[in-house]
Amino acid sequence: MGTVTIGVSIAVPEPHGSLLQERRAGFGDAAAHGIPTHVTLLPPTEVDAAALPAIEAHLLEVAGTGRPFPMKLSGTGTFRPLSPVVFVQVAEGAEACTWLQKQVRDASGPVARELQFPYHPHVTVAHGIEDEAMDRAYEELSDYRAEWPCTGFALYEQGADGVWRKLREFAFGGPVVPPQAGAPAERNSTPAC
C-alpha cells in the first residue's frame, strides 16, 4: 500500500477561508490554492497507508472527548527570522487547540510524534516568499478579524500534486462530558474544546 502524507487541522470556515486563501495567493504564495485555510493540529506526517483506519479511529475518540469552543482570529504575527512565515493570530481558542493537538499526537496513539518547533496555533497567510511580500502580508492583514464556533476538525491527505484534500471530518462529542477518573460526573477538568 505504501505511505501517505496526512495532516489534521481545524478548517477556517467560509467566507473567511476563501478570503484568506485568496489573500495568500495575492501575496505570491504559490502553494496557497493547494492548502485549505486552517489551524494545524498535526503537521504533515508520513504514515503507512494501512494505518489510516487506526488513525481515523483515534481521531474519532479524540473528537468524542472534545467540545465546541469559540475561535477568534485577530491581527498578524510572524515566525521570522526562525521560519519564513506570516500568520493571522488565534486570539481565542488557542488553549483548546493546544489541548487538541496534544491528544492527536498522544504517545499512545497511532500518530505520536515530536514537533520541530513548540506548538503555536495560527493561520498561515504567507510562507517562503519574498521578504517584501511577507512584510505586505503582515501589514495588510494586521487588522483582520474573524470568529466562529469551532465544532470539530478534519483529516487531510496530501496528493502527489501537492494539494491537500479532506478525507474525513470529526465533529466534537455530544453535550454530556464524560467523567474523568476521580472526578464527579457533573464536573470535568477537560478543557472546553
Side-chain angles (χ1 to χ4, degrees):
M1 266 182 113
T3 62
V4 293
T5 300
I6 62 165
V8 177
S9 63
I10 295 169
V12 175
E14 297 305 330
H16 316 295
S18 292
L19 184 145
L20 289 175
Q21 191 174 43
E22 289 303 318
R23 294 302 305 267
R24 183 172 178 172
F27 297 131
D29 192 328
H33 289 295
I35 305 171
T37 308
H38 67 281
V39 175
T40 300
L41 297 177
L42 176 72
T45 302
E46 189 173 315
V47 298
D48 190 319
L52 283 175
I55 292 168
E56 288 188 21
H58 170 66
L59 295 176
L60 195 59
E61 187 176 309
V62 170
T65 63
R67 297 293 170 261
F69 61 91
M71 181 76 91
K72 184 183 292 183
L73 305 180
S74 181
T76 51
T78 185
F79 294 131
R80 295 185 295 172
L82 190 59
S83 182
V85 173
V86 170
F87 56 86
V88 173
Q89 298 188 66
V90 174
E92 186 175 353
E95 184 179 318
C97 290
T98 300
W99 182 85
L100 278 170
Q101 66 87 28
K102 284 180 184 174
Q103 305 311 304
V104 169
R105 295 185 308 102
D106 187 81
S108 66
V111 284
R113 67 166 284 186
E114 293 296 318
L115 298 178
Q116 183 178 0
F117 299 105
Y119 182 74
H120 181 86
H122 65 280
V123 177
T124 299
V125 291
H127 180 231
I129 57 176
E130 296 294 324
D131 280 340
E132 183 179 295
M134 299 278 272
D135 294 341
R136 194 162 56 90
Y138 186 88
E139 290 301 321
E140 289 182 15
L141 292 171
S142 64
D143 61 354
Y144 183 80
R145 307 282 182 272
E147 55 186 283
W148 69 93
C150 179
T151 58
F153 56 83
L155 172 65
Y156 292 82
E157 180 181 339
Q158 186 178 36
D161 57 1
V163 174
W164 287 90
R165 293 174 181 84
K166 188 186 310 178
L167 294 179
R168 181 173 175 184
E169 291 184 19
F170 298 87
F172 291 140
V176 178
V177 178
Q180 296 289 309
E186 311 83 80
R187 298 173 49 134
N188 187 313
S189 60
T190 302
C193 45

